[in-house]
Amino acid sequence: MDEETNDRSATSARVGATTDLPHDRITLARFREAFPRARWSDRLNAWFVPGRTAQKRISRWLAAMEAEADRFADEKGRDAFAFDSIESRYLEATPATLQIQTPYSRTVVNEIREIPHARWDADRRLWTVPYRSFDELRRRWPTIEAAAERSEPEARRARREAIKGTQEDEASKARMRERRRKRYPVPADDAPPSDRAIGTHVGVVFFLGTDGELADPATVTAFYFPAANSDEYVWASWRSGSLEELVTTWPARTPPNEHELERGWWIPDLEELRIARRDAKSRRRARERKEAKDAPGERSADHA
């Protein structure tokens, strides 16, 4: 076609914008209908749309196309759900989205976060999943439901009663007591930096420093990681990082190697930072909800 082969040299000097499109006939036809003055540029290997507002018009058109595709995908997912629905006390189907509300479970949170377009609704304390993501939700649902059932207060209480007084119970209480101390063993001759986020066997933390207290190798092995016989460890205090600190932390390109794992600390990779950022965001939201609840205006309204 003339417009596809005639790449005028003046294209680059003209006012306008370029865009790359999927090479399917229907999309191209709709694009040409929306932009009749568009011309294909062999040199740019893209479609050129003239005009000072071309970029804005292209962006609006692409957004409309994406919204239409989402609506189609939602309809398809809604039909799939109607044909083979998920029956569960933790799932409610509404006209717009699928809503998930479970007891808190780290497994549930991690699974739902892997579902495309899933969103946490902090006001209603539930997750929403669009119908377009139904296939992925169905694939992960057995794990989600099982973890939710394990997190029910009755189930937790039953597990505590079952191990009460046993060696497992004592070990669990000891781990909780140790974690509350917010200390971590680091090699006496190879301490981590204190000015950036550090990956450890208890997650991503910021170290505050050490007073030189020696860490007992048996305690290190029992609660943190296998202590090397030839190494001397000292206790270092730590804190969780803020969301701002974690967002600006540059990740390592690769996961920790064997030496770093044996040492006990390393520069965190992107996946570790993502988990830490999610936790920091959850802590911030919880703090904001508490502050809003404790605000004087809120209390006055409650007592009115």
Side-chain angles (χ1 to χ4, degrees):
M1 293 184 287
D2 291 341
E3 65 271 14
E4 293 178 349
T5 58
N6 184 16
D7 182 17
R8 293 180 172 83
S9 60
T11 297
S12 59
R14 296 171 63 192
V15 176
T18 60
T19 184
D20 189 18
L21 296 172
H23 296 286
D24 69 88
R25 183 176 56 82
I26 295 177
T27 301
L28 289 176
R30 297 182 69 174
F31 176 77
R32 296 300 306 279
E33 182 180 354
F35 301 95
R37 296 174 61 201
R39 296 295 182 266
W40 174 257
S41 169
D42 286 329
R43 185 178 64 81
L44 299 175
N45 196 31
W47 286 92
F48 178 81
V49 178
R52 295 185 181 278
T53 62
Q55 188 61 63
K56 290 182 179 180
R57 289 185 288 124
I58 291 173
S59 296
R60 285 197 299 266
W61 183 80
L62 290 173
M65 290 288 290
E66 183 177 353
E68 184 176 336
D70 287 344
R71 286 194 297 272
F72 176 76
D74 280 335
E75 288 299 325
K76 186 177 178 181
R78 196 175 284 106
D79 290 344
F81 180 82
F83 178 74
D84 187 15
S85 62
I86 297 174
E87 299 293 337
S88 173
R89 58 176 168 162
Y90 303 118
L91 180 70
E92 179 183 0
T94 70
T97 61
L98 296 162
Q99 298 180 355
I100 304 170
Q101 193 166 31
T102 73
Y104 176 78
S105 163
R106 172 60 61 186
T107 300
V108 168
V109 172
N110 290 340
E111 287 291 321
I112 296 179
R113 279 173 173 164
E114 294 300 319
I115 298 173
H117 312 296
R119 295 289 182 270
W120 171 249
D121 187 329
D123 293 332
R124 294 185 294 167
R125 307 290 296 165
L126 54 77
W127 290 90
T128 62
V129 177
Y131 283 95
R132 77 197 73 149
S133 302
F134 174 64
D135 286 344
E136 185 64 17
L137 172 63
R138 170 168 286 288
R139 189 175 74 81
R140 295 180 180 274
W141 188 253
T143 302
I144 293 172
E145 188 169 43
E149 289 174 346
R150 287 195 305 270
S151 298
E152 288 288 351
E154 297 81 4
R156 290 180 181 272
R157 189 160 45 248
R159 286 198 300 274
R160 287 196 299 268
E161 289 297 325
I163 66 170
K164 195 171 184 179
T166 65
Q167 191 172 8
E168 181 183 352
D169 184 31
E170 293 303 318
S172 176
K173 290 178 180 177
R175 283 193 299 272
M176 291 178 62
R177 288 194 298 269
E178 181 62 30
R179 185 61 185 267
R180 291 194 191 104
R181 301 181 73 169
K182 290 198 171 182
R183 63 180 187 174
Y184 189 82
V186 299
D189 59 353
D190 193 5
S194 58
D195 59 350
R196 65 154 295 146
I198 299 296
T200 73
H201 291 282
V202 298
V204 176
V205 303
F206 280 77
F207 281 101
L208 301 173
T210 176
D211 58 9
E213 179 188 356
L214 292 177
D216 176 28
T219 303
V220 174
T221 300
F223 298 112
Y224 298 98
F225 55 89
N229 295 329
S230 59
D231 288 344
E232 189 175 73
Y233 298 90
V234 295
W235 291 116
S237 59
W238 59 268
R239 65 174 175 83
S240 300
S242 68
L243 181 59
E244 290 74 15
E245 289 173 318
L246 294 166
V247 166
T248 56
T249 295
W250 195 259
R253 292 184 177 181
T254 59
N257 57 38
E258 185 176 352
H259 167 70
E260 291 169 328
L261 291 172
E262 291 175 352
R263 181 178 63 181
W265 66 268
W266 54 87
I267 303 302
D269 61 16
L270 183 56
E271 185 56 34
E272 290 176 285
L273 284 172
R274 281 173 175 164
I275 295 172
R277 289 165 184 169
R278 290 167 184 168
D279 292 342
K281 188 178 293 185
S282 296
R283 289 194 301 270
R284 187 172 71 176
R285 286 174 176 169
R287 185 172 61 251
E288 289 172 349
R289 285 195 300 271
K290 185 177 185 303
E291 291 172 353
K293 184 178 180 181
D294 294 341
E298 186 95 6
R299 289 198 300 269
S300 299
D302 290 342
H303 292 296

